[in-house]
Amino acid sequence: MAGKTTGGKVATTAGRTLSNPNASTLQRSLAGSALAQSGTQKVTGKAMEAKASTALQNATSAATTRSLAGSLVSQSDKKR
């Protein structure tokens, strides 16, 4: 399936998030998934899609969390 790939801006954010000792476990998880998809045609897995969707629906999620989650949701399998 040809899908979107993680863009350079999101990949940079993901890299910075992974190297930030104050990043939450959720942010690190989303960042790792986003980087794994960078430069590939991989799609977001079902479990990660659910995690990202929940983060997007949470009004208190940080901007970084929402950015990473949005990228992952946009790369999910549209058939689900």
Side-chain angles (χ1 to χ4, degrees):
M1 171 182 189
K4 296 181 177 182
T5 63
T6 300
K9 186 174 180 181
V10 174
T12 298
T13 300
R16 288 182 179 155
T17 300
L18 288 173
S19 64
N20 179 353
N22 297 319
S24 70
T25 302
L26 174 60
Q27 287 175 330
R28 289 177 181 277
S29 178
L30 296 172
S33 183
L35 276 181
Q37 294 178 36
S38 182
T40 70
Q41 293 296 312
K42 293 180 181 178
V43 295
T44 304
K46 187 175 183 178
M48 186 56 66
E49 179 184 351
K51 194 182 283 193
S53 178
T54 299
L56 281 174
Q57 293 174 23
N58 183 347
T60 62
S61 290
T64 299
T65 303
R66 295 176 71 79
S67 174
L68 294 168
S71 177
L72 293 174
V73 168
S74 76
Q75 295 176 67
S76 64
D77 184 353
K78 304 302 181 216
K79 296 176 190 170
R80 269 188 258 161

Coordinates of all heavy atoms in Angstrom, one line a residue:
M1 N 0.8 -1.2 0.0 CA 0.0 0.0 0.0 C 0.9 1.2 0.0 O 1.7 1.4 0.8 CB -0.9 0.0 1.3 CG -1.6 1.2 1.5 SD -2.6 1.1 3.0 CE -3.5 2.6 2.8
A2 N 0.7 2.1 -1.0 CA 1.5 3.3 -1.0 C 0.8 4.3 0.0 O -0.4 4.6 -0.1 CB 1.5 3.9 -2.4
G3 N 1.6 4.8 0.9 CA 1.0 5.7 1.9 C 1.9 6.9 2.0 O 2.9 7.1 1.3
K4 N 1.6 7.8 3.0 CA 2.4 8.9 3.3 C 3.6 8.5 4.0 O 3.6 7.5 4.6 CB 1.5 9.9 4.1 CG 0.3 10.5 3.4 CD -0.4 11.4 4.4 CE -1.6 12.0 3.7 NZ -2.2 13.0 4.6
T5 N 4.6 9.4 4.0 CA 5.8 9.2 4.8 C 5.9 10.3 5.8 O 5.4 11.4 5.7 CB 7.1 9.1 4.0 OG1 7.3 10.3 3.3 CG2 7.0 8.0 3.0
T6 N 6.7 10.0 6.9 CA 6.9 11.1 7.9 C 7.7 12.2 7.2 O 8.8 11.9 6.7 CB 7.7 10.5 9.1 OG1 6.9 9.5 9.7 CG2 8.0 11.5 10.1
G7 N 7.3 13.4 7.3 CA 8.0 14.5 6.7 C 9.2 14.9 7.5 O 9.4 14.5 8.7
G8 N 10.0 15.8 6.9 CA 11.2 16.2 7.6 C 11.0 16.9 8.9 O 11.7 16.7 9.9
K9 N 10.0 17.8 8.9 CA 9.7 18.6 10.1 C 9.3 17.6 11.3 O 9.8 17.8 12.4 CB 8.6 19.6 9.9 CG 8.4 20.5 11.0 CD 7.4 21.6 10.6 CE 7.1 22.6 11.8 NZ 6.1 23.6 11.4
V10 N 8.5 16.7 11.0 CA 8.0 15.7 12.0 C 9.1 14.8 12.4 O 9.3 14.5 13.6 CB 6.8 14.9 11.6 CG1 6.4 13.9 12.6 CG2 5.6 15.9 11.3
A11 N 10.0 14.4 11.5 CA 11.1 13.6 11.8 C 12.1 14.3 12.7 O 12.6 13.7 13.7 CB 11.8 13.1 10.5
T12 N 12.3 15.6 12.5 CA 13.2 16.4 13.3 C 12.6 16.5 14.7 O 13.3 16.3 15.7 CB 13.4 17.8 12.7 OG1 14.0 17.6 11.5 CG2 14.2 18.7 13.6
T13 N 11.3 16.7 14.8 CA 10.6 16.8 16.1 C 10.7 15.5 16.8 O 11.0 15.4 18.0 CB 9.1 17.2 15.9 OG1 9.0 18.4 15.3 CG2 8.4 17.2 17.2
A14 N 10.6 14.4 16.1 CA 10.7 13.0 16.7 C 12.1 12.8 17.3 O 12.2 12.3 18.4 CB 10.3 12.0 15.7
G15 N 13.1 13.2 16.5 CA 14.4 13.0 16.9 C 14.7 13.8 18.2 O 15.4 13.3 19.1
R16 N 14.3 15.0 18.2 CA 14.5 15.9 19.4 C 13.7 15.3 20.6 O 14.2 15.4 21.7 CB 14.0 17.3 19.1 CG 15.0 18.0 18.2 CD 14.6 19.4 17.9 NE 15.5 20.1 17.0 CZ 15.2 21.1 16.3 NH1 14.0 21.6 16.3 NH2 16.1 21.7 15.5
T17 N 12.5 14.8 20.4 CA 11.8 14.2 21.4 C 12.5 13.0 22.1 O 12.5 12.9 23.3 CB 10.4 13.8 20.9 OG1 9.7 14.9 20.4 CG2 9.5 13.2 22.0
L18 N 13.0 12.2 21.2 CA 13.7 11.0 21.7 C 15.0 11.4 22.5 O 15.4 10.6 23.4 CB 14.1 10.0 20.6 CG 12.9 9.3 20.0 CD1 13.3 8.5 18.8 CD2 12.2 8.4 21.0
S19 N 15.6 12.5 22.2 CA 16.8 12.9 22.9 C 16.5 13.8 24.1 O 17.4 14.1 24.9 CB 17.8 13.5 22.0 OG 17.2 14.7 21.5
N20 N 15.2 14.1 24.3 CA 14.8 15.0 25.4 C 14.5 14.1 26.7 O 13.6 13.3 26.7 CB 13.5 15.7 25.0 CG 13.0 16.7 26.1 OD1 13.5 16.7 27.2 ND2 12.0 17.4 25.8
P21 N 15.3 14.3 27.7 CA 15.1 13.5 28.9 C 13.8 13.8 29.6 O 13.3 13.0 30.4 CB 16.3 13.9 29.8 CG 16.8 15.2 29.3 CD 16.4 15.2 27.9
N22 N 13.2 14.9 29.3 CA 11.9 15.3 29.9 C 10.7 14.8 29.1 O 9.5 15.1 29.5 CB 11.8 16.8 30.1 CG 12.9 17.3 31.1 OD1 13.2 16.6 32.1 ND2 13.5 18.4 30.8
A23 N 10.9 14.2 28.0 CA 9.8 13.7 27.2 C 9.0 12.6 27.9 O 9.6 11.7 28.5 CB 10.3 13.2 25.8
S24 N 7.7 12.6 27.7 CA 6.9 11.5 28.4 C 7.1 10.2 27.6 O 7.6 10.1 26.5 CB 5.4 11.9 28.3 OG 4.9 11.9 27.0
T25 N 6.6 9.1 28.3 CA 6.7 7.8 27.7 C 5.8 7.8 26.4 O 6.3 7.2 25.4 CB 6.2 6.8 28.7 OG1 7.0 6.8 29.8 CG2 6.2 5.4 28.1
L26 N 4.7 8.4 26.4 CA 3.8 8.5 25.2 C 4.5 9.2 24.1 O 4.5 8.8 23.0 CB 2.5 9.2 25.6 CG 1.6 9.5 24.4 CD1 1.2 8.1 23.7 CD2 0.4 10.2 24.8
Q27 N 5.2 10.4 24.4 CA 5.9 11.1 23.4 C 7.0 10.3 22.8 O 7.2 10.3 21.5 CB 6.4 12.4 23.9 CG 5.4 13.5 24.2 CD 5.9 14.7 24.9 OE1 6.9 14.6 25.6 NE2 5.3 15.8 24.6
R28 N 7.7 9.6 23.6 CA 8.8 8.8 23.1 C 8.3 7.6 22.2 O 8.9 7.3 21.2 CB 9.6 8.2 24.2 CG 10.4 9.2 25.0 CD 11.2 8.5 26.2 NE 11.9 9.5 26.9 CZ 13.2 9.9 26.5 NH1 13.7 9.4 25.5 NH2 13.8 10.8 27.2
S29 N 7.2 7.1 22.6 CA 6.6 6.0 21.8 C 6.1 6.5 20.4 O 6.4 5.9 19.4 CB 5.4 5.4 22.6 OG 4.7 4.4 21.9
L30 N 5.4 7.6 20.4 CA 5.0 8.2 19.2 C 6.1 8.6 18.3 O 6.1 8.4 17.1 CB 4.1 9.4 19.5 CG 2.8 9.2 20.2 CD1 2.1 10.5 20.6 CD2 1.8 8.3 19.4
A31 N 7.2 9.2 18.9 CA 8.4 9.6 18.2 C 9.1 8.5 17.5 O 9.5 8.5 16.4 CB 9.3 10.4 19.1
G32 N 9.2 7.4 18.3 CA 9.9 6.2 17.7 C 9.1 5.6 16.5 O 9.7 5.3 15.5
S33 N 7.8 5.6 16.6 CA 7.0 5.1 15.5 C 7.1 6.0 14.3 O 7.3 5.6 13.2 CB 5.6 5.0 15.9 OG 4.8 4.4 14.9
A34 N 7.1 7.3 14.6 CA 7.2 8.3 13.4 C 8.6 8.2 12.8 O 8.6 8.2 11.5 CB 7.0 9.7 14.0
L35 N 9.6 8.0 13.5 CA 10.9 7.9 12.9 C 11.1 6.5 12.2 O 11.7 6.5 11.1 CB 12.0 8.0 14.0 CG 12.5 9.4 14.4 CD1 13.6 9.3 15.4 CD2 12.9 10.2 13.2
A36 N 10.5 5.5 12.7 CA 10.5 4.2 12.0 C 9.9 4.3 10.6 O 10.2 3.5 9.7 CB 9.8 3.1 12.8
Q37 N 8.9 5.2 10.5 CA 8.2 5.3 9.2 C 8.8 6.3 8.3 O 8.4 6.5 7.1 CB 6.7 5.7 9.5 CG 6.0 4.6 10.2 CD 4.5 5.0 10.4 OE1 3.9 5.7 9.7 NE2 4.0 4.6 11.6
S38 N 9.8 7.1 8.8 CA 10.4 8.1 8.0 C 11.2 7.5 6.8 O 12.0 6.6 6.9 CB 11.4 8.9 8.9 OG 12.0 9.9 8.1
G39 N 10.9 8.0 5.6 CA 11.5 7.5 4.4 C 11.1 6.2 3.9 O 11.7 5.6 3.1
T40 N 10.0 5.7 4.5 CA 9.5 4.4 4.0 C 8.0 4.5 3.7 O 7.4 5.6 3.8 CB 9.6 3.3 5.2 OG1 8.6 3.7 6.2 CG2 10.9 3.3 5.8
Q41 N 7.4 3.5 3.2 CA 6.0 3.4 2.9 C 5.2 2.7 3.9 O 4.1 2.2 3.7 CB 5.8 2.8 1.5 CG 6.3 3.7 0.3 CD 5.6 5.0 0.2 OE1 4.4 5.1 0.2 NE2 6.4 6.1 0.1
K42 N 5.8 2.5 5.1 CA 5.1 1.8 6.2 C 3.9 2.5 6.6 O 3.9 3.8 6.6 CB 6.1 1.6 7.4 CG 7.3 0.7 7.1 CD 8.1 0.6 8.4 CE 9.3 -0.3 8.1 NZ 10.2 -0.4 9.3
V43 N 2.9 1.8 7.1 CA 1.8 2.4 7.7 C 1.7 2.2 9.2 O 2.4 1.3 9.7 CB 0.4 1.9 7.1 CG1 0.3 2.3 5.6 CG2 0.3 0.4 7.3
T44 N 1.0 3.1 9.9 CA 0.9 3.0 11.3 C 0.1 1.7 11.7 O -0.9 1.5 11.2 CB 0.2 4.2 11.9 OG1 0.9 5.4 11.5 CG2 0.2 4.2 13.4
G45 N 0.7 1.0 12.7 CA 0.0 -0.2 13.2 C -1.3 0.1 13.9 O -1.5 1.2 14.4
K46 N -2.1 -0.9 14.1 CA -3.4 -0.7 14.8 C -3.3 -0.2 16.2 O -4.0 0.8 16.6 CB -4.2 -2.0 14.8 CG -5.6 -1.9 15.3 CD -6.3 -3.2 15.1 CE -7.8 -3.1 15.5 NZ -8.5 -4.3 15.4
A47 N -2.4 -0.8 17.0 CA -2.2 -0.3 18.4 C -1.6 1.1 18.5 O -2.1 1.9 19.3 CB -1.3 -1.3 19.1
M48 N -0.7 1.4 17.6 CA -0.1 2.8 17.7 C -1.1 3.8 17.1 O -1.2 4.9 17.6 CB 1.2 2.8 16.8 CG 1.9 4.1 16.9 SD 2.3 4.6 18.6 CE 3.5 3.4 19.1
E49 N -1.9 3.4 16.2 CA -3.0 4.3 15.7 C -4.0 4.6 16.8 O -4.4 5.8 16.9 CB -3.7 3.6 14.5 CG -4.8 4.4 13.9 CD -5.6 3.7 12.9 OE1 -5.2 2.6 12.4 OE2 -6.6 4.2 12.4
A50 N -4.3 3.6 17.6 CA -5.3 3.8 18.7 C -4.6 4.8 19.7 O -5.3 5.7 20.2 CB -5.6 2.5 19.3
K51 N -3.3 4.6 20.0 CA -2.6 5.4 21.0 C -2.6 6.8 20.5 O -2.8 7.8 21.2 CB -1.2 4.8 21.2 CG -0.5 5.4 22.4 CD 0.9 4.8 22.5 CE 0.9 3.4 23.0 NZ 2.3 3.0 23.4
A52 N -2.3 7.0 19.2 CA -2.2 8.4 18.6 C -3.5 9.0 18.6 O -3.6 10.2 18.9 CB -1.6 8.3 17.2
S53 N -4.5 8.3 18.3 CA -5.9 8.8 18.2 C -6.3 9.3 19.6 O -6.9 10.4 19.7 CB -6.9 7.8 17.7 OG -8.2 8.3 17.6
T54 N -6.1 8.5 20.6 CA -6.4 8.9 22.0 C -5.7 10.2 22.3 O -6.3 11.1 23.0 CB -6.1 7.8 22.9 OG1 -6.8 6.6 22.6 CG2 -6.4 8.2 24.4
A55 N -4.4 10.3 22.0 CA -3.6 11.5 22.3 C -4.2 12.7 21.6 O -4.3 13.8 22.2 CB -2.2 11.3 21.9
L56 N -4.7 12.6 20.4 CA -5.3 13.7 19.6 C -6.6 14.1 20.2 O -6.9 15.3 20.2 CB -5.5 13.3 18.2 CG -4.3 13.4 17.3 CD1 -4.6 12.8 15.9 CD2 -3.7 14.8 17.2
Q57 N -7.3 13.2 20.8 CA -8.6 13.5 21.4 C -8.5 14.1 22.7 O -9.5 14.7 23.2 CB -9.5 12.3 21.4 CG -9.9 11.8 20.0 CD -10.6 10.5 20.1 OE1 -11.2 10.1 21.1 NE2 -10.6 9.7 19.0
N58 N -7.3 14.0 23.4 CA -7.1 14.6 24.7 C -6.8 16.1 24.6 O -5.7 16.4 24.0 CB -6.0 13.8 25.4 CG -5.7 14.3 26.8 OD1 -6.2 15.3 27.2 ND2 -5.0 13.5 27.5
A59 N -7.6 16.9 25.1 CA -7.4 18.4 24.9 C -6.2 18.9 25.7 O -5.7 20.0 25.4 CB -8.7 19.1 25.4
T60 N -5.7 18.1 26.6 CA -4.5 18.5 27.4 C -3.2 18.0 26.8 O -2.2 18.3 27.4 CB -4.7 18.1 28.9 OG1 -4.7 16.7 28.9 CG2 -5.9 18.7 29.5
S61 N -3.3 17.3 25.7 CA -2.0 16.8 25.1 C -1.1 18.0 24.7 O -1.6 19.0 24.2 CB -2.3 16.0 23.9 OG -2.9 14.7 24.3
A62 N 0.2 17.8 24.9 CA 1.1 18.9 24.5 C 1.2 19.0 23.0 O 0.8 18.1 22.3 CB 2.5 18.5 25.1
A63 N 1.7 20.1 22.5 CA 1.7 20.4 21.1 C 2.6 19.3 20.4 O 2.3 18.9 19.3 CB 2.3 21.8 20.8
T64 N 3.7 19.0 21.0 CA 4.6 17.9 20.4 C 3.9 16.6 20.3 O 4.0 15.9 19.3 CB 5.9 17.8 21.3 OG1 6.6 19.0 21.3 CG2 6.8 16.7 20.7
T65 N 3.2 16.3 21.3 CA 2.4 15.0 21.3 C 1.4 15.0 20.2 O 1.3 14.1 19.4 CB 1.7 14.8 22.7 OG1 2.6 14.8 23.7 CG2 0.9 13.5 22.7
R66 N 0.7 16.1 20.0 CA -0.4 16.2 19.0 C 0.2 16.2 17.6 O -0.3 15.6 16.7 CB -1.2 17.5 19.2 CG -2.0 17.5 20.6 CD -2.7 18.7 20.8 NE -3.9 18.9 19.9 CZ -5.0 18.3 20.1 NH1 -5.2 17.5 21.1 NH2 -6.0 18.5 19.2
S67 N 1.4 16.8 17.4 CA 2.0 16.8 16.1 C 2.5 15.4 15.7 O 2.2 15.0 14.6 CB 3.3 17.8 16.2 OG 4.0 17.7 15.0
L68 N 3.1 14.7 16.6 CA 3.5 13.3 16.4 C 2.3 12.4 16.1 O 2.3 11.6 15.2 CB 4.4 12.8 17.5 CG 5.7 13.5 17.7 CD1 6.4 13.1 19.0 CD2 6.7 13.2 16.5
A69 N 1.3 12.6 17.0 CA 0.1 11.7 16.9 C -0.6 12.0 15.5 O -1.0 11.1 14.9 CB -0.8 12.0 18.0
G70 N -0.7 13.3 15.1 CA -1.3 13.6 13.9 C -0.6 13.0 12.7 O -1.3 12.5 11.7
S71 N 0.7 13.0 12.7 CA 1.4 12.4 11.6 C 1.2 10.9 11.6 O 1.0 10.3 10.5 CB 2.9 12.6 11.8 OG 3.7 12.0 10.8
L72 N 1.1 10.2 12.7 CA 0.9 8.8 12.7 C -0.5 8.4 12.3 O -0.7 7.5 11.5 CB 1.2 8.2 14.1 CG 2.6 8.3 14.5 CD1 2.8 7.8 16.0 CD2 3.5 7.5 13.6
V73 N -1.5 9.2 12.7 CA -2.8 8.9 12.3 C -3.0 9.1 10.8 O -3.7 8.3 10.1 CB -3.9 9.8 13.1 CG1 -5.2 9.7 12.5 CG2 -3.9 9.3 14.5
S74 N -2.3 10.1 10.2 CA -2.4 10.4 8.8 C -1.8 9.3 8.0 O -2.0 9.1 6.8 CB -1.8 11.7 8.4 OG -0.4 11.7 8.5
Q75 N -0.9 8.5 8.6 CA -0.2 7.4 7.9 C -0.8 6.0 8.2 O -0.2 5.0 7.9 CB 1.3 7.4 8.3 CG 2.0 8.6 7.9 CD 3.4 8.6 8.4 OE1 4.2 7.8 7.9 NE2 3.7 9.5 9.3
S76 N -2.0 6.0 8.8 CA -2.6 4.8 9.2 C -3.3 4.1 8.0 O -3.5 4.8 6.9 CB -3.7 5.0 10.3 OG -4.7 5.8 9.9
D77 N -3.7 2.9 8.1 CA -4.4 2.1 7.1 C -5.8 2.7 7.0 O -6.6 2.6 7.9 CB -4.4 0.7 7.5 CG -5.1 -0.2 6.4 OD1 -5.6 0.3 5.4 OD2 -5.0 -1.5 6.6
K78 N -6.2 3.3 5.9 CA -7.5 3.9 5.7 C -8.6 2.9 5.7 O -9.8 3.3 5.9 CB -7.5 4.8 4.4 CG -6.4 5.8 4.3 CD -6.4 6.8 5.5 CE -5.3 7.8 5.3 NZ -4.7 8.2 6.5
K79 N -8.3 1.7 5.6 CA -9.4 0.6 5.6 C -9.9 0.3 6.9 O -11.0 -0.3 7.1 CB -8.9 -0.6 4.9 CG -8.5 -0.5 3.4 CD -7.9 -1.7 2.9 CE -7.3 -1.5 1.5 NZ -6.6 -2.6 1.0
R80 N -9.1 0.7 8.0 CA -9.5 0.4 9.4 C -10.6 1.3 9.8 O -10.8 2.4 9.6 CB -8.3 0.5 10.3 CG -7.7 -0.8 10.4 CD -6.6 -0.8 11.5 NE -5.4 -0.7 10.8 CZ -4.3 -0.3 11.2 NH1 -4.1 0.1 12.4 NH2 -3.2 -0.2 10.5

